[in-house]
Amino acid sequence: MTSNIDYIDKIPNNVDLGRDRVLQRALEHWQPAYMGWWYDMGPNESHNYDVYLRTAISVDAEGWAVFDYVKMPQYRWGIFLVPPTQGREVNFGVNKGQPAWQDVPGEYRSMLRRLIVTQGDTEPASVEQQRMLGMCAPSLYDLRNIYQVNVEEGRHLWAMVYLLHRYFGRDGREEAEALLDRRSGDVDNPRILGAFNEPTPDWLAFYMFTFFTDRDGKFQLSSLAESGFDPLARTCRFMLTEEAHHMFVGETGVGRIVQRTAEVMAENKVDDADHVRALGVIDLETVQRYLNFHYSVTLDLFGGDVSSNAASFYTTGLKGRYEETKIQDDHQLTDATYKVGTVKDGRVIDEEIPALNALNERLRDDYIGEVQAGVDRWNKVIEKTGVPFRLRLPHKSFHRQIGNFAGHHISPTGDVLTEKQWNAKRDEWLPSQADYTFVQAMMTGRVVEPGKFANWIAPPRRGVHTQPIDFEYVRFN
Ligand code: BYC
């Protein structure tokens, strides 16, 4: 096991793949199926483009990436784990203090496989959701960024498929094939989790997705990086270094949209949404509705507020809390309690439940803290222009399909309404068909001149890596 990655093998890796011929052959067998999926479901019409991408060359914190032009089908997808930590232990649950597992404990096999499959399923799903967006990119800079995100999601799929092939034998190989068969939004064979079956129809949705939903990725991967199953922990640690860029794309993307809108509003002294739209930018009310949608469907990704699955994942040592080893407590949670929201007598209230059953809610709360900080930064951008509008996170009970709030009709301020009352307000709170039509009408063609940006988005502060903003990030050939 080295930090440097072997690019001589057909499948780049730092796990000495060549030593295990059976595994290597199985993965080489899966590789063409993966490429078939990429050609069918990867970014539309992109296969011959030269894209200025980063590729991992080492798993060291410093110098892990090189930047160069790559045709995406030739991107070197592979298997990269951070090196093992000598003497690492299971750090929580009933097995706390045991040496971390290098193999799958038999009794936890199906639970672990389910976690890995659920994680793996999200990666190709997001590529499928975003596949048409390259056709209406606001600049070459943004186009390159979405492609970077897409190839790295493809690599994250490889990360989970490696674990399935290496540790789960035949059913692992079957699961790896099924990961290429399910399709985002397919009625008969959908992706596993709700948000990954929602369309990502435009660039505002894409930036919201990478800000909100990729950040769920960060928190889930962080919890899995605490796993007592060491290969999972090590692969998730490296995935997290890639994830950071995706959230950067989301935060700066939304930030640049609200900046542009607020600047145009201030310049023209308009605040009414119709007037703002007439100036060719996205009104902040529409941005708020997209925010409400992506935030609420992403909150659902954390699972039920009360979850015996989550308790089992923790007790067994398979999935920890966010930054588990930095928390000062017994790491068993036998007597601890935690507050979760629920609806009682027509009101949202908190109730105290055993902390073990509330682990999804706890992770959701950690996530909400980080998301709020990002929204505050967007508001600073708006504030600087003098425009009084502020973006707000809706109450966490709003528009939920999973957990205690599912089936209730709750407003963004957390008031429980009747279905009729809620429906009457729906289009004020969530993007309507008219909103989608408006946003998409603004994004019909793509901007291909280096250094030029669509009217509805501000340029970024700097380019990619060391390149200027007007660099030719994508060559169409
Ligand atoms: N949609 O006990 P419960 C990422 C199911 S994102 C549909 O409450 P549990 C990325 C659940 O599966 C991170 N179904 O939940 C981002 C269970 O079904 P079964 C992805 C849902 O099990 C952007 C039942 O409801 N990684 O990486 O405690 C781009 C009862 O569930 C949903 C992970 O999620 C939903 N939203 O927790 C690319 C980590 N929620 O088993 C990538 C791995 C729940 O009864 N997954 N259900 O049929 C997990 O840790 C857990 O599976 C979950 C659910 C946290 C997702």
Side-chain angles (χ1 to χ4, degrees):
M1 169 88 215
T2 63
S3 307
N4 290 331
I5 292 165
D6 177 359
Y7 274 97
I8 297 168
D9 279 7
K10 201 163 160 198
I11 300 170
N13 71 90
N14 72 340
V15 293
D16 207 1
L17 194 59
R19 240 187 15 194
D20 185 341
R21 300 294 299 158
V22 175
L23 172 65
Q24 189 179 30
R25 267 203 303 276
L27 282 164
E28 284 178 4
H29 185 74
W30 185 81
Q31 193 174 34
Y34 170 80
M35 289 311 300
W37 168 82
W38 180 268
Y39 275 107
D40 288 349
M41 299 312 297
N44 193 43
E45 286 187 14
S46 66
H47 306 315
N48 202 35
Y49 302 169
D50 291 310
V51 188
Y52 188 70
L53 293 179
R54 67 173 185 185
T55 302
I57 49 158
S58 148
V59 294
D60 285 342
E62 282 115 48
W64 70 271
V66 290
F67 287 75
D68 205 352
Y69 284 105
V70 178
K71 287 193 181 21
M72 284 187 284
Q74 288 159 24
Y75 186 80
R76 301 302 313 274
W77 286 286
I79 299 154
F80 318 130
L81 275 63
V82 299
T85 308
Q86 281 305 317
R88 183 165 182 267
E89 294 179 350
V90 179
N91 292 314
F92 55 91
V94 293
N95 298 305
K96 184 172 179 295
Q98 280 186 22
W101 304 301
Q102 299 308 323
D103 272 308
V104 179
E107 65 274 37
Y108 305 149
R109 196 169 187 277
S110 69
M111 223 188 309
L112 188 55
R113 192 184 59 208
R114 189 168 110 193
L115 278 173
I116 294 170
V117 166
T118 307
Q119 177 63 51
D121 191 68
T122 63
E123 317 290 0
S126 66
V127 175
E128 292 164 4
Q129 287 170 297
Q130 296 161 14
R131 74 178 294 263
M132 298 309 288
L133 292 176
M135 310 306 287
C136 55
S139 73
L140 289 186
Y141 166 89
D142 292 279
L143 184 60
R144 174 266 168 211
N145 279 347
I146 195 173
Y147 289 160
Q148 182 72 58
V149 169
N150 292 158
V151 292
E152 287 177 352
E153 299 302 6
R155 207 207 66 73
H156 289 184
L157 171 61
W158 270 92
M160 293 302 118
V161 164
Y162 165 70
L163 295 176
L164 289 169
H165 273 229
R166 167 86 172 73
Y167 297 98
F168 293 89
R170 187 190 171 143
D171 37 330
R173 291 194 293 278
E174 284 169 6
E175 293 284 12
E177 276 168 34
L179 286 169
L180 297 176
D181 290 340
R182 284 188 287 273
R183 287 285 180 276
S184 175
D186 191 294
V187 208
D188 300 320
N189 196 14
R191 293 294 172 184
I192 296 170
L193 298 174
F196 294 90
N197 290 302
E198 299 287 348
T200 309
D202 57 64
W203 280 77
L204 179 55
F206 168 67
Y207 293 130
M208 290 288 179
F209 182 96
T210 38
F211 178 79
F212 286 108
T213 309
D214 278 80
R215 196 175 309 276
D216 170 47
K218 170 186 167 177
F219 280 81
Q220 298 295 345
L221 289 173
S222 299
S223 306
L224 295 174
E226 302 288 345
S227 182
F229 179 53
D230 205 41
L232 175 62
R234 286 164 47 210
T235 197
C236 287
R237 289 216 176 276
F238 187 68
M239 290 163 78
L240 281 164
T241 61
E242 293 168 316
E243 201 68 50
H245 172 255
H246 307 184
M247 291 179 295
F248 162 85
V249 169
E251 178 165 341
T252 55
V254 176
R256 289 160 54 213
I257 290 176
V258 298
Q259 179 190 338
R260 177 72 185 138
T261 301
E263 283 170 358
V264 168
M265 287 170 72
E267 239 170 71
N268 294 277
K269 301 197 171 37
V270 292
D271 53 12
D272 167 81
D274 286 336
H275 287 132
V276 173
R277 286 184 176 199
L279 294 165
V281 291
I282 304 172
D283 54 291
L284 297 175
E285 289 80 359
T286 298
V287 174
Q288 177 69 59
R289 286 192 284 276
Y290 271 64
L291 181 158
N292 292 348
F293 176 78
H294 287 272
Y295 178 60
S296 56
V297 297
T298 305
L299 289 184
D300 278 341
L301 288 177
F302 289 83
D305 329 61
V306 186
S307 167
S308 56
N309 287 342
S312 307
F313 297 152
Y314 187 82
T315 308
T316 50
L318 296 180
K319 182 182 175 191
R321 288 170 293 176
Y322 183 60
E323 302 201 318
E324 179 71 43
T325 42
K326 292 189 187 157
I327 300 172
Q328 303 287 337
D329 63 12
D330 66 356
H331 301 279
Q332 313 258 347
L333 303 179
T334 25
D335 301 319
T337 59
Y338 196 83
K339 275 200 188 103
V340 301
T342 191
V343 177
K344 213 170 217 165
D345 303 329
R347 283 190 327 128
V348 173
I349 56 151
D350 279 339
E351 67 183 7
E352 202 81 41
I353 65 160
L356 270 178
N357 288 323
L359 286 164
N360 288 342
E361 185 67 359
R362 179 177 177 137
L363 192 62
R364 187 164 22 236
D365 287 339
D366 290 334
Y367 165 86
I368 291 173
E370 207 180 272
V371 160
Q372 181 63 58
V375 174
D376 293 344
R377 287 189 290 274
W378 292 336
N379 281 333
K380 287 233 165 65
V381 173
I382 303 175
E383 196 181 342
K384 259 199 199 150
T385 64
V387 168
F389 191 98
R390 297 290 175 267
L391 294 165
R392 252 191 213 107
L393 288 180
H395 194 272
K396 73 174 161 183
S397 57
F398 170 71
H399 187 235
R400 295 287 304 281
Q401 317 294 326
I402 299 279
N404 287 348
F405 300 120
H408 293 283
H409 296 90
I410 305 180
S411 75
T413 46
D415 298 308
V416 182
L417 307 177
T418 64
E419 184 172 1
K420 196 165 164 217
Q421 289 169 324
W422 196 93
N423 283 337
K425 291 282 199 179
R426 191 230 169 259
D427 287 359
E428 268 177 47
W429 295 335
L430 292 169
S432 63
Q433 200 43 57
D435 290 333
Y436 285 123
T437 305
F438 160 70
V439 173
Q440 283 162 41
M442 210 175 268
M443 302 178 186
T444 43
R446 76 175 151 207
V447 178
V448 295
E449 198 183 319
K452 286 269 177 299
F453 290 81
N455 185 58
W456 48 266
I457 190 164
R461 266 195 272 167
R462 59 184 77 84
V464 176
H465 192 215
T466 54
Q467 302 299 348
I469 290 174
D470 62 0
F471 185 71
E472 195 179 6
Y473 288 107
V474 180
R475 294 182 184 143
F476 296 100
N477 302 312

